[in-house]
């Protein structure tokens, strides 16, 4: 067993806590950081702190943003009659890459999953309902673009049951998505196909 | 297909083993306990599926004191001969087909097909329903990845639903949240159930024939898939599942678990229309377990076009001498069979005339006769 100076092991632990990074990679990253020029390290550190300080959730769509409301919500050239509901902020990025969708988004920040203790109250559903009550906003269609796994499907179903009585058209992206996968890993072609093939719930 | 030659180096208790004259029919490995009979069977299985049935740690098969283990086989298939190498290292393993290294084990697996019947498989009928469900899942899964996908989705939904049921019974969550899981449970569950029905029909077709031969034509084997919700003639499976699920909802909430669905189903096995699990003698239960498993031979042939190699570890002694003889005779006709046994009582004549017999002693094997 090797023992590092505390400064290094703190750094390794820090990396290790990030998603998708195991102890080996954490170690490699830590040693890489030490070998970097001081200026570059400072820039990286600043980028981290800045991201945390200046980013928060949009008060309208719950996406990550540096201004409030966010750029998409503010963009007057976008259609206001369609809202695309996604699980994570990174799904908005994936969706935007398709250039097929010109409406607004709503980021749920998760999906319903009892085993993880996530129910409807733990994700941003109340925010969506509040949004729909806004008389200025005339939403005609809500597109469910939650992940095509059982939790994403359950969340889409929950929302569609909730929103049916409101009388808004609800569609679900379907065709072409990799079964059992996460939306963020789908390529553009697949996603635009999926968008075309959406169905009413 | 059949295994023409087998070579082992530092595999389990074999320092070096070379068998160049295996029979395309019946091969019997005779020896006392702990001499290395199962080790041979294990090595052949590993050539087929790249992993052991006895351990998940590959390095365990490396002979004590040695660094690496090697299994080599020469497989005769209808249209070609294949040389398979599997090399176990302290960390990881390497595989070759005709000298060409296969990076992914999945590219190595499947050049040799085997069906293994080990002593624990004798429990298939005497044991609980989960053994038979696992049997169905493994057998169907081998030929249908779609089935495995539906099954795993079903199990995920089930876990979510059961978690929610417990929360509802503790009044932590509202009951109406169940709907979003019920719907998915029924969709995937119905697919699983339907596939199992189809499979049981095929299984019965083959197993009945095999059982009849082993029992000397005395017994008629049949199967019935026991569904936890009644299927009405002509009714949609998904809908029936859904209706039953709704009617059991109160009870499910009370118990915090889902009481209907393929995870509660069973496969009922009958001999001459009497349930074997309850009424069968031990010998009948064993024979029926064997027949069920041996039906896999025919299912594989239907899938890959050639018979697999049959490995029978230590099962002969569980049958009477008549059934033993019927078994080796009827299998040996069509399928290369490797059998291990401690006693050869009752098979002397068959062994002399129709089988290759190998004596196993302390990691050394000699052909007899
Ligand atoms: N990695 C290993 N290296 C050396 N010897 C091993 C190794 N693993 C197991 N053995 C030995 O192999 C022997 C068991 O062989 P095996 O399981 O094939 O016996 P068997 O002939 O099938 O006996 P039984 O009739 O009891 O089933 C044991 O003596 C065991 O110590
Ligand atoms: Mg043994
Ligand atoms: Zn916004």
């Amino acid at each position: 067993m090797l023992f590092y100076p505390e400064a290094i092991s703190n750094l390794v632990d820090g990396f290790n806590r990030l998603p998708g990074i195991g102890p080996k990679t954490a170690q490699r990253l830590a040693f890489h950081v030490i070998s970097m020029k001081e200026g570059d390290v400072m820039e990286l550190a600043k980028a981290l702190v800045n991201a945390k300080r200046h980013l928060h959730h949009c008060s309208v769509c719950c996406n990550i943003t540096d201004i409030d409301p966010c750029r998409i919500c503010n963009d007057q050239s976008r259609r206001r009659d369609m809202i695309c509901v996604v699980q994570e902020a990174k799904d908005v990025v994936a969706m935007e890459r398709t250039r097929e969708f010109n409406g607004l988004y709503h980021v749920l920040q998760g999906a319903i999953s009892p085993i993880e203790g996530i129910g409807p109250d733990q994700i941003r559903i109340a925010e969506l309902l509040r949004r729909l009550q806004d008389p200025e906003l005339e939403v005609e269609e809500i597109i469910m673009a939650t992940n095509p796994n059982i939790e994403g499907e359950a969340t889409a179903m929950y929302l569609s049951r909730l929103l049916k009585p409101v009388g808004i058209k609800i569609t679900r992206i379907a065709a072409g998505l990799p079964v059992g996968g996460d939306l963020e890993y789908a390529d553009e072609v697949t996603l635009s196909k999926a968008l075309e093939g959406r169905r009413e719930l | 297909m059949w295994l023409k030659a087998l070579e082992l180096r530092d595999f389990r208790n074999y320092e070096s083993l070379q068998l160049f004259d295996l029979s395309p029919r019946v091969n019997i490995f005779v020896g006392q306990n702990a001499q290395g009979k199962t080790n041979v069977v294990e090595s052949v299985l590993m050539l087929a599926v790249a992993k052991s049935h006895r351990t998940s740690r590959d390095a365990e098969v490396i002979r004590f004191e040695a660094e690496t283990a090697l299994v080599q086989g020469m497989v005769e298939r209808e249209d070609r001969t294949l040389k398979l190498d599997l090399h176990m290292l302290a960390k990881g393993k390497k595989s070759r087909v005709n000298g060409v290294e296969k990076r992914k084990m999945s590219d190595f697996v499947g050049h040799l097909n085997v069906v293994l019947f080990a002593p624990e498989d004798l429990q298939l009928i005497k044991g609980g329903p989960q053994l038979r469900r696992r049997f169905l899942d493994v057998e169907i899964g081998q030929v249908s990845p779609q089935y495995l996908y539906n099954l795993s989705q079903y199990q995920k939904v089930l876990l979510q639903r059961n978690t929610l049921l417990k929360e509802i019974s503790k009044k932590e969550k509202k009951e109406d949240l169940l709907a979003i899981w019920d719907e998915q449970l029924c969709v995937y569950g119905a697919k699983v159930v339907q596939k199992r029905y189809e499979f049981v029909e095929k299984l019965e077709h083959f197993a009945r024939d095999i059982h009849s031969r082993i029992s000397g034509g005395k017994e008629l084997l049949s199967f019935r898939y026991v569904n936890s919700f009644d299927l009405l003639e002509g009714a949609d499976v998904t809908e029936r599942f859904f209706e039953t699920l709704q009617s059991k909802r109160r009870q499910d909430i009370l118990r915090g678990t889902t009481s209907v669905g393929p995870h509660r189903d069973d496969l009922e096995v009958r001999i001459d229309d009497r349930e074997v699990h309850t009424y069968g003698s031990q010998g009948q239960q064993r024979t029926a377990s064997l027949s069920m498993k041996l039906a896999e031979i025919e299912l594989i042939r239907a899938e890959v076009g050639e018979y697999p190699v049959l490995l029978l570890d230590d099962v002969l002694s569980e049958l009477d001498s008549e059934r033993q003889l019927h078994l080796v005779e009827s299998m040996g006709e069509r399928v290369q069979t490797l059998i291990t046994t401690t006693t050869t009582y009752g098979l002397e004549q068959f062994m002399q005339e129709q089988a290759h017999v190998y004596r196993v002693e302390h990691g050394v094997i000699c052909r007899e006769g």
Side-chain angles (χ1 to χ4, degrees), chain B residues 187-201:
Chain B
V187 169
Y188 292 116
K191 286 182 183 155
V192 169
V193 169
Q194 267 165 320
K195 195 78 192 175
R196 285 188 186 167
Y197 266 104
E198 280 169 33
F199 175 80
V200 169
E201 219 170 280

Side-chain angles (χ1 to χ4, degrees), chain A residues 112-120 122 148-151 153-155 157-158 161 179-180, chain B residues 149 153-154 156-161 163-164 167 173 176-177 179-181 183-184 188 242:
Chain A
I112 299 176
S113 172
I115 50 176
E116 289 164 284
I118 303 174
Q122 277 72 48
N149 52 26
I150 60 158
E151 291 82 13
E153 203 62 50
T155 308
M157 261 185 236
Y158 178 83
R161 278 158 196 261
V179 198
Chain B
Y149 170 75
Q153 294 291 94
Y154 177 80
K156 284 181 199 160
V157 179
L158 185 66
L159 187 62
Q160 295 281 20
R161 187 180 195 265
T163 309
L164 185 59
E167 288 176 341
K173 284 270 154 48
D176 56 7
L177 274 175
I180 55 178
W181 302 108
E183 206 173 310
Q184 297 194 77
Y188 292 116
F242 193 76

Side-chain angles (χ1 to χ4, degrees), chain B residues 10-14 31-42 54 59-65 119 313-314 340-342 360 362:
Chain B
D10 292 329
F11 185 93
R12 295 281 187 192
N13 66 340
Y14 293 96
Q32 302 288 310
N33 293 140
Q35 300 305 305
K37 301 184 299 298
T38 301
N39 294 344
V40 173
V41 167
E42 182 184 35
R54 295 207 283 194
E60 207 176 295
V61 305
I62 301 172
R63 191 174 60 86
F64 307 144
E65 287 125 40
D313 189 19
D314 239 1
T340 74
T341 184
T342 49
V360 185
H362 279 301

